[in-house]
Amino acid sequence: DIQMTQSPSSLSASVGDRVTITCRASQSISSYLNWYQQKPGKAPKVLIYAASSLQSGVPSRFSGSGSGTDFTLTISSLQPEDSATYYCQQSHSTPWTFGQGTKVEIK
Amino acid sequence: QEQLAESGGGVVQPGRSLRLSCAASGFTFSNYGMHWVRQAPGKGLEWVAVIYYDGSKKYYADSVKGRFTISRDNSENTLYLQMNSLRAEDTAVYYCARDISSRWYDCWGQGTLVTVSS
């Protein structure tokens, strides 16, 4: 199985800060990497698919980059509503696996 | 409006069975692969199983293989997860999710909680 490792596990940042979350795959997954946002008690919601494509309706402050084994989710200007846990997920091969999550808190 | 709605969760004793359902509406269910994903309390997301759009192929996580069965009824727009020989470690919120091009999830249900406890 492909292992997905996110860092950091949690972070605290101020409104307006630029935030970066990284995700590393245990083997190359090309661009088969997705990012989800999950708020407490809610289902996850896709933000970025295929490493860098912004899902319709998602604010443009979210962006994704990377290919192969190293990927990044960037929030260009953190907003209060971005407080959530973020997960990366590979869909290169079954089983689809998720990172352990990054909890983003607002200072 | 495209929606998924899970049902069937509850409290069950170890070793017993439970069947979850996921009712789809607002889209052509038979065109999409469907997955079950679970989340143990306070933990991350774990993929459980997938079924192709026509039911022709099914895959399972090692943790549930031989105990869980995914199925679908395209005439009823419903996805199922039959869970047998349940264990305490199966306690989780179970989500159904629709996949796009077998590459990402664009629609999720609200989740149903399964608690395995004596």
Side-chain angles (χ1 to χ4, degrees):
Chain A
D1 297 0
I2 298 174
Q3 307 303 316
M4 306 301 294
T5 304
Q6 284 181 237
S7 61
S9 297
S10 64
L11 66 90
S12 181
S14 299
V15 172
D17 282 354
R18 183 180 184 88
V19 169
T20 298
I21 299 168
T22 63
C23 179
R24 175 164 288 176
S26 60
Q27 65 188 71
S28 178
I29 57 171
S30 185
S31 295
Y32 297 119
L33 190 283
N34 310 307
W35 290 97
Y36 299 87
Q37 176 193 65
Q38 187 181 33
K39 296 184 177 181
K42 300 294 187 181
K45 163 190 165 183
V46 65
L47 301 174
I48 302 289
Y49 62 91
S52 61
S53 295
L54 188 69
Q55 174 73 355
S56 175
V58 173
S60 59
R61 63 180 179 273
F62 292 95
S63 64
S65 64
S67 67
T69 60
D70 294 311
F71 301 87
T72 299
L73 173 71
T74 300
I75 309 173
S76 61
S77 178
L78 191 68
Q79 299 301 303
E81 60 266 31
D82 300 335
S83 177
T85 300
Y86 294 82
Y87 294 93
C88 63
Q89 177 223 10
Q90 66 81 20
S91 55
H92 177 272
S93 56
T94 303
W96 290 9
T97 43
F98 292 88
Q100 80 278 16
T102 296
K103 186 172 185 178
V104 174
E105 296 181 330
I106 310 296
K107 280 183 185 174
Chain B
Q1 186 178 358
E2 300 172 336
Q3 287 188 328
L4 297 169
E6 301 92 340
S7 60
V11 180
V12 61
Q13 293 178 329
R16 303 299 290 266
S17 299
L18 204 61
R19 189 177 83 156
L20 305 183
S21 300
C22 168
S25 59
F27 64 96
T28 305
F29 180 68
S30 59
N31 285 352
Y32 295 90
M34 296 296 298
H35 299 240
W36 288 99
V37 176
R38 68 184 181 182
Q39 186 169 37
K43 302 297 184 182
L45 300 165
E46 180 189 15
W47 175 82
V48 173
V50 58
I51 184 168
Y52 278 34
Y53 70 100
D54 58 356
S56 61
K57 293 185 179 180
K58 307 172 186 181
Y59 298 97
Y60 299 92
D62 286 345
S63 57
V64 307
K65 201 173 295 182
R67 301 187 299 122
F68 289 13
T69 302
I70 189 171
S71 62
R72 65 191 298 158
D73 184 339
N74 285 345
S75 66
E76 296 290 332
N77 296 326
T78 304
L79 173 73
Y80 300 101
L81 185 68
Q82 177 67 42
M83 304 185 295
N84 298 332
S85 303
L86 281 161
R87 305 167 180 168
E89 54 265 36
D90 296 318
T91 294
V93 173
Y94 285 73
Y95 296 100
C96 58
R98 180 180 81 173
D99 84 48
I100 296 296
S101 303
S102 297
R103 291 305 177 195
W104 71 92
Y105 303 123
D106 75 327
C107 185
W108 297 68
Q110 82 286 354
T112 188
L113 176 63
V114 173
T115 302
V116 183
S117 174
S118 53

